[in-house]
Amino acid sequence: WVAVDGNKLPPPLNDEGASAEFVIKGDGKVYSIAAASIIAKVTRDRIMNEHDQKWPMYLFGQHKGYGTKKHMEAIAMHGPCEIHRRSFTWPGNKPVKKEKDTKKDKAAEVEKKKKKKKKGA
């Protein structure tokens, strides 16, 4: 059985017959979710401190990767480093869309053209 913190189950846990359930605000209700949350935060903080050693100009040890004003200023000054997500917005960056998002955009565009044709016909 798997308990997931949130309001939906990720695939494949949302398959019929999967032994899982989501728990809204689960870290305050289920001990295993609370423990996992603490482990995840401590692990993330440790990793960000390691990144701070490699790229001190971004101050990862202070903001742990959150989009603080200082973090945005550092990205604007130095550009992104290899760990910055290309799907996020930062000064001078347009987020890179995932392939599935691009497919959705194309499908929506095709539907729009079909509707235009029907109106004009």
Side-chain angles (χ1 to χ4, degrees):
W1 179 75
V2 177
V4 177
D5 188 18
N7 61 2
K8 62 183 174 183
L9 293 174
L13 292 177
N14 61 2
D15 292 346
E16 196 171 313
S19 183
E21 71 176 273
F22 65 83
V23 183
I24 297 171
K25 299 187 186 251
D27 56 346
K29 299 174 183 174
V30 179
Y31 289 129
S32 59
I33 293 176
S37 179
I38 292 166
I39 291 167
K41 182 191 178 309
V42 170
T43 300
R44 193 246 2 256
D45 289 355
R46 181 185 50 78
I47 291 168
M48 295 312 291
N49 286 332
E50 290 171 8
H51 290 327
D52 190 58
Q53 297 297 308
K54 189 170 183 179
W55 296 288
M57 70 284 285
Y58 296 103
L59 308 170
F60 290 128
Q62 291 178 24
H63 56 67
K64 307 299 188 232
Y66 287 101
T68 64
K69 184 178 178 188
K70 284 186 177 183
H71 189 179
M72 293 297 123
E73 288 170 353
I75 294 170
M77 182 179 288
H78 304 287
C81 71
E82 65 188 66
I83 66 162
H84 283 103
R85 296 186 211 177
R86 299 313 190 246
S87 60
F88 277 36
T89 302
W90 61 69
N93 179 60
K94 256 188 155 175
V96 176
K97 287 189 172 191
K98 294 179 184 174
E99 186 177 328
K100 73 176 186 180
D101 292 338
T102 305
K103 287 179 183 176
K104 283 181 192 174
D105 290 345
K106 286 180 183 175
E109 202 173 300
V110 168
E111 286 301 313
K112 208 184 263 187
K113 285 180 182 178
K114 284 181 185 177
K115 285 180 182 178
K116 263 189 179 178
K117 271 187 177 180
K118 283 182 181 178
K119 279 185 179 179

